[in-house]
């Protein structure tokens, strides 16, 4: 590399993870509960070296969505080649200096967890004895791959992602991380349980009152005096669905009622039932019912 080209490479804009931005084909960020998620993809592979000095940001977990990527990671006195297949994961502590040369295509989802957030996640998972994550590289984790894939998935090019959807996935991902990669084994403090009839009634009341707005797992769990992780397990056991899927079904049922028994416009129904816009409402309705809201209303009224 000539001095001119080296100087040019040194001026390439880089993100907070040390990755060059000028050849990324996909670069998205989602703020989740207690963590930040990234999707970064480059068919050619981000050029140059990734370097991040030690800092207090916590942990970075990366998961490769496809094979064909490798990197030479430099330590203080040595370097090592790391190969990544589909769903290969690495966990590293931001406190350590990091320097690596990337090779091949790059298609990763990443999540960043702060030190304080790690303790909150462990508490929410009803686990003790977890104070840090183990540094690993190259291990397959298809469970985490599935959850991160769902977080960034799109339907017909659209990403209909409610706060509750991101929230419940954040809790599930956090629980998975501390159980799989937390130091020590941890002790589970709370077993599985079902939601009481009283708790179910309180949830239904809260959801109906907030059908046009956003809810969080924390709010729902607090109505039952449960930790978020315990609530998600109990909710699925009792309702046979995740909170997000159940909330979506309540919105669809409310929309059906308005479509059949009122002349309310589709855009007004979308707003009343908590969809971001009429297009989002139509996509969700078609996926759940198999017909557009307009078609369904016409069939019912005829």
């Amino acid at each position: 590399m000539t001095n001119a080209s080296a100087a040019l490479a040194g001026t390439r804009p880089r993100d907070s993870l040390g990755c060059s931005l000028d050849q990324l084909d996909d670069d998205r960020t989602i703020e989740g509960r207690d963590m930040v998620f990234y999707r970064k993809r480059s068919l050619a592979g981000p050029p140059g070296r990734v370097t991040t000095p030690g800092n207090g940001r916590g942990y970075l977990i990366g998961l490769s969505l496809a094979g064909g990527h490798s990197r030479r990671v430099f330590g203080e006195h040595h370097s090592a080649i790391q190969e990544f297949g589909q769903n290969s994961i690495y966990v590293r502590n931001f406190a350590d200096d990091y320097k690596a040369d990337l090779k091949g295509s790059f298609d990763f989802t990443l999540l960043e967890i702060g030190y304080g957030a790690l303790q909150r996640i462990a508490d929410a998972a009803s686990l003790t004895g977890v104070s840090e994550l183990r540094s690993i590289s190259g291990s397959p984790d298809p469970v985490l791959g599935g959850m991160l894939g769902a977080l960034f998935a799109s339907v017909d090019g659209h990403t209909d992602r409610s706060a509750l959807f991101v929230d419940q996935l954040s809790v599930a991902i956090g629980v998975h991380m501390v159980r799989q990669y937390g130091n020590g084994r941890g002790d589970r403090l709370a077993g599985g349980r079902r939601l009481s009839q009283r708790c179910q009634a309180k949830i239904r009341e809260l959801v109906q009152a907030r059908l046009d707005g956003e809810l969080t797992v924390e709010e729902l769990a607090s109505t039952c005096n449960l930790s978020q992780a315990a609530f998600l397990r109990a909710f699925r056991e009792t309702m046979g669905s995740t909170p997000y899927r159940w909330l979506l079904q309540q919105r669809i049922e409310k929309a059906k009622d308005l479509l059949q028994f009122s002349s309310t416009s589709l855009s007004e129904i979308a707003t009343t039932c908590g969809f971001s816009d009429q297009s989002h409402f139509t996509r969700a309705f078609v996926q759940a019912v198999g017909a557009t809201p307009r078609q369904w209303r016409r069939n019912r009224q005829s």
Side-chain angles (χ1 to χ4, degrees):
M1 180 181 286
T2 66
N3 291 335
S5 61
L8 179 62
T11 62
R12 287 190 173 116
R14 295 182 179 273
D15 62 16
S16 63
L17 303 178
C19 188
S20 176
L21 293 169
D22 58 358
Q23 290 193 24
L24 285 177
D25 302 301
D26 191 356
D27 184 19
R28 287 177 281 165
T29 302
I30 297 174
E31 296 280 346
R33 176 172 297 275
D34 286 327
M35 61 191 78
V36 182
F37 301 94
Y38 307 93
R39 172 72 194 275
K40 296 183 182 291
R41 179 171 62 90
S42 175
L43 298 179
R49 178 172 292 180
V50 171
T51 303
T52 53
N55 57 70
R57 287 168 60 178
Y59 296 92
L60 181 68
I61 296 91
L63 183 134
S64 179
L65 296 177
H69 176 77
S70 66
R71 60 184 63 182
R72 179 178 290 276
V73 180
F74 296 88
E76 186 175 358
H77 302 295
H78 69 283
S79 66
I81 298 292
Q82 296 178 351
E83 303 280 351
F84 291 88
Q86 186 176 13
N87 290 325
S88 291
I89 184 179
Y90 70 82
V91 179
R92 69 179 180 89
N93 194 328
F94 273 119
D96 302 322
D97 293 336
Y98 186 77
K99 182 168 62 176
D101 290 336
L102 308 186
K103 181 180 180 181
S105 61
F106 184 92
D107 193 357
F108 274 74
T109 51
L110 306 107
L111 60 124
E112 181 177 339
I113 304 176
Y115 298 123
L118 180 65
Q119 187 59 60
R120 289 193 296 273
I121 292 169
D123 291 342
S126 300
L127 294 172
T128 61
V130 179
S131 59
E132 61 184 40
L133 298 180
R134 295 177 284 109
S135 295
I136 62 171
S137 180
S139 299
D141 192 337
V143 173
L144 181 62
M147 289 190 286
L148 289 173
L151 187 64
F152 283 97
S154 63
V155 178
D156 297 330
H158 300 276
T159 52
D160 300 327
R161 205 178 286 108
S162 75
L164 182 59
F165 177 70
V166 174
D167 202 32
Q168 73 178 27
L169 263 181
S170 296
V171 173
I173 289 170
V175 170
H176 177 77
M177 291 304 303
V178 297
R179 285 182 178 161
Q180 291 295 115
Y181 307 109
N183 63 314
R185 297 179 57 186
D187 300 316
R188 187 176 300 200
L189 300 179
R193 59 181 296 178
R194 292 176 61 86
L195 300 179
S196 67
Q197 292 293 332
R198 182 171 179 271
C199 180
Q200 292 178 53
K202 291 172 68 175
I203 291 172
R204 293 181 188 279
E205 182 180 347
L206 176 62
V207 166
Q208 290 302 317
R210 300 270 295 280
L211 205 60
D212 60 344
E214 294 288 4
L215 285 165
T216 66
V217 173
E218 183 177 19
E219 288 178 287
L220 293 170
S222 67
T223 65
C224 302
N225 295 317
L226 293 173
S227 71
Q228 295 167 48
F231 171 77
L232 288 178
R233 291 196 303 271
F235 191 97
R236 182 184 287 274
E237 178 69 21
T238 307
M239 304 295 201
S241 174
T242 65
Y244 168 72
R245 287 294 177 190
W246 187 81
L247 173 61
L248 182 60
Q249 186 57 42
Q250 306 312 302
R251 287 174 167 165
I252 293 294
E253 292 303 319
K254 176 67 174 179
K256 285 181 177 180
D257 184 66
L258 292 172
L259 286 169
Q260 185 169 1
F261 300 110
S262 78
S263 59
T264 309
S265 70
L266 298 185
S267 60
E268 288 179 288
I269 292 175
T271 301
T272 300
C273 297
F275 297 98
S276 57
D277 52 34
Q278 185 176 332
S279 178
H280 178 202
F281 168 46
T282 298
R283 290 194 298 274
F285 197 89
V286 169
Q287 190 172 28
V289 180
T292 67
R294 196 180 305 278
Q295 291 168 338
W296 192 89
R297 168 180 267 175
R298 188 184 304 119
N299 291 339
R300 281 291 187 271
Q301 292 179 343
S302 62

